[in-house]
Amino acid sequence: LLCLTTNPIMLSSLRCASSLATAAARAKPQTALNAAAVRFMSSDNPSATFDLTGSFETYNLDTAPEETIEMDKEELMQHFKTMYTVRRMEITCDNEYKARNIRGFCHLYDGQEAVATGINAAITQEDSWITSYRCHCQALLRGGTVRKVIGELFGSVEGYSKSKGGSMHFYNKEHNFYGGAGIVGAQVPIGAGLAFANKYNAKPGEPMNIAVACYGDGAANQGQIWESANMASLWKLPMVFCIENNQYGMGTSIDRHSSHSDYFKMGNHIPGIRIDGMNVLAVKAGFEFIKEFCGNGNGPMYAELMTYRYHGHSMSDPGTTYRNREEIAFTRSTRDPLEFVKKTLIDAGFADADEIKQVEKQIRKQVQEEVMLAKQDPKPTLDELIKHVYAADTSIGNYEMPDHIRMPDFAKSYWKS
């Protein structure tokens, strides 16, 4: 059975304009939420071939990703579950922040779920991954749970980094996830170092593990990124310079903060690729191509993922002073990455609307249960808090209590007697 619908991809800048009419004029005339052409194959776990025509634009490359991808129901449904879990987790973070149960910096990822989900599906746990301070989703994908992520934001001892990192500093070396970097662009030189280590430790004759360093369009002109690109190119490191282009550097649109907004071409002679970052199928296919290219000794690559964030830059940013609500609503109605996967599941015959609603209901319940557990988890004791701050000597795990620890309530501060 061959089922044809319209192509979902819009490759030009995915940033909607300041009004709905302008946004519609800028978009290509394809309907983004329509699923691509599919071909069914009868089995207990049916699979389909999806059309990705128009999802990619390459630079300085003789080859490109395949314009079709085969995926079965189980995998596509798992992508939806992952993305919906992230969406519910981030909405919960928004609510808990407004209730003052979460304090400090908090940068949410809703709208960009397809990027991290697609990357994680394409690379392996042996590949290194480092990102910016918008890192809740990546932490969840790399060995985390909703309870551990939310617990970190609540400041509980069961949190992902035992409450010492907060929203911007998740880390899991066991799963080769290196953060969560709090300084704009600072993760990219570390990513180059990870790529160097991967090349150094590679077994002769085998593909290298790659390193992915994600950063936003607002960081793309950082000097340290140029230096990292130079070294990565000189030494042919398996390094991916991954720009999550959500169309705004904090509150400044790309056409106002960068004279060169084709970020995938910024590496000069370094090859690049632009990918529709609202389509998890395209992201997975694109990063499978990138992993093969970089892992086989061809040097680094720039990857620009065209995406959009629904919240402001951080919780202190309402997100509507430099863009209007119509722009956000337009993107939600035409480009939402979750709605795309839902429609693709239905059009492929993998699931119906009722089944998807049941999945959503179950995930909402699971997220809420894990949040409640995180609220019950204890805060770290004073002995736990001083670990990894002052070392008593050079032995591992031997820490020294500092002379003074100031608490939020000064009367409860610690003074060494």
Side-chain angles (χ1 to χ4, degrees):
L1 173 64
L2 181 64
C3 172
L4 294 176
T5 62
T6 55
N7 181 1
I9 309 306
M10 290 188 295
L11 230 203
S12 59
S13 173
L14 304 182
R15 179 175 63 86
C16 299
S18 60
S19 70
L20 183 59
T22 306
R26 284 192 175 188
K28 286 188 177 180
Q30 297 153 328
T31 304
L33 292 183
N34 284 352
V38 299
R39 187 183 301 275
F40 308 118
M41 283 165 281
S42 177
S43 70
D44 293 335
N45 183 30
S47 63
T49 299
F50 297 89
D51 181 14
L52 301 177
T53 302
S55 297
F56 313 108
E57 184 178 351
T58 60
Y59 171 74
N60 274 357
L61 281 167
D62 296 326
T63 57
E66 295 291 332
E67 293 192 339
T68 60
I69 184 172
E70 184 176 326
M71 193 170 291
D72 59 37
K73 173 183 176 179
E74 182 178 345
E75 182 181 357
L76 188 57
M77 181 62 80
Q78 185 56 52
H79 292 330
F80 174 72
K81 289 178 179 179
T82 298
M83 293 164 65
Y84 192 72
T85 300
V86 171
R87 178 72 58 89
R88 295 307 308 175
M89 183 179 73
E90 294 296 65
I91 290 173
T92 300
C93 288
D94 175 79
N95 293 333
E96 295 294 339
Y97 195 97
K98 291 171 180 174
R100 297 195 171 190
N101 293 323
I102 297 173
R103 303 295 183 97
F105 295 106
C106 187
H107 306 81
L108 302 182
Y109 202 71
D110 49 321
Q112 300 182 214
E113 297 94 345
V115 174
T117 303
I119 292 174
N120 192 64
I123 65 177
T124 72
Q125 294 289 308
E126 300 304 313
D127 294 312
S128 308
W129 197 355
I130 189 167
T131 189
S132 68
Y133 38 74
R134 200 179 303 279
C135 59
H136 302 166
C137 178
Q138 291 84 347
L140 183 68
L141 294 171
R142 286 285 170 137
T145 63
V146 172
R147 180 181 181 180
K148 290 171 69 70
V149 172
I150 296 289
E152 183 64 27
L153 304 187
F154 285 163
S156 77
V157 72
E158 298 297 329
Y160 199 91
S161 299
K162 298 189 180 298
S163 84
K164 297 174 184 176
S167 174
M168 300 195 294
H169 299 286
F170 289 88
Y171 179 89
N172 192 330
K173 185 178 180 182
E174 181 182 352
H175 290 83
N176 288 303
F177 177 58
Y178 296 91
I183 303 300
V184 175
Q187 67 274 21
V188 182
I190 301 173
L194 293 168
F196 181 89
N198 287 345
K199 181 174 182 177
Y200 186 86
N201 291 321
K203 296 179 180 179
E206 295 185 9
M208 295 176 281
N209 295 320
I210 67 170
V212 179
C214 294
Y215 54 100
D217 52 279
N221 286 293
Q222 283 271 319
Q224 56 194 329
I225 295 177
W226 301 109
E227 295 178 75
S228 303
N230 180 55
M231 287 187 285
S233 180
L234 277 173
W235 300 331
K236 287 191 174 296
L237 302 182
M239 167 72 173
V240 185
F241 294 84
C242 180
I243 305 100
E244 295 190 62
N245 184 354
N246 61 24
Q247 315 306 314
Y248 295 95
M250 296 187 71
T252 309
S253 61
I254 56 175
D255 54 347
R256 293 183 60 224
H257 74 65
S258 182
S259 63
H260 186 355
S261 57
D262 286 334
Y263 297 107
F264 70 113
K265 298 179 181 179
M266 275 189 163
N268 298 315
H269 61 277
I270 297 175
I273 183 171
R274 175 181 276 164
I275 303 172
D276 181 356
M278 302 297 264
N279 181 342
V280 68
L281 306 179
V283 177
K284 183 191 177 189
F287 260 81
E288 286 176 339
F289 170 82
I290 292 168
K291 176 174 169 57
E292 182 178 1
F293 179 93
C294 297
N296 282 295
N298 296 303
M301 185 181 293
Y302 270 62
E304 180 182 5
L305 284 294
M306 304 298 283
T307 186
Y308 193 84
R309 57 171 165 80
Y310 292 150
H311 271 85
H313 172 73
S314 68
M315 287 301 297
S316 61
D317 169 22
T320 54
T321 56
Y322 48 87
R323 58 182 185 176
N324 56 39
R325 297 185 188 279
E326 288 76 13
E327 175 187 318
I328 302 169
F330 178 79
T331 305
R332 282 184 181 276
S333 64
T334 62
R335 299 288 305 160
D336 185 77
L338 272 76
E339 291 300 320
F340 172 79
V341 178
K342 286 167 65 174
K343 191 164 191 349
T344 302
L345 282 164
I346 293 171
D347 288 353
F350 289 169
D352 57 27
D354 289 338
E355 181 180 350
I356 292 173
K357 286 181 181 178
Q358 286 301 312
V359 170
E360 291 176 335
K361 181 179 179 181
Q362 182 180 14
I363 290 174
R364 287 196 298 270
K365 180 181 178 182
Q366 289 173 343
V367 169
Q368 190 57 36
E369 288 174 350
E370 292 200 47
V371 170
M372 295 307 297
L373 289 172
K375 286 185 174 182
Q376 297 168 15
D377 288 333
K379 304 296 182 185
T381 63
L382 196 60
D383 289 340
E384 177 64 33
L385 280 174
I386 62 99
K387 289 182 179 179
H388 311 107
V389 180
Y390 291 104
D393 51 47
T394 58
S395 61
I396 297 175
N398 194 11
Y399 306 106
E400 183 179 46
M401 182 77 76
D403 292 338
H404 171 58
I405 301 176
R406 176 164 179 165
M407 297 296 188
D409 182 350
F410 186 76
K412 297 180 180 179
S413 295
Y414 166 81
W415 300 85
K416 191 173 184 179
S417 57

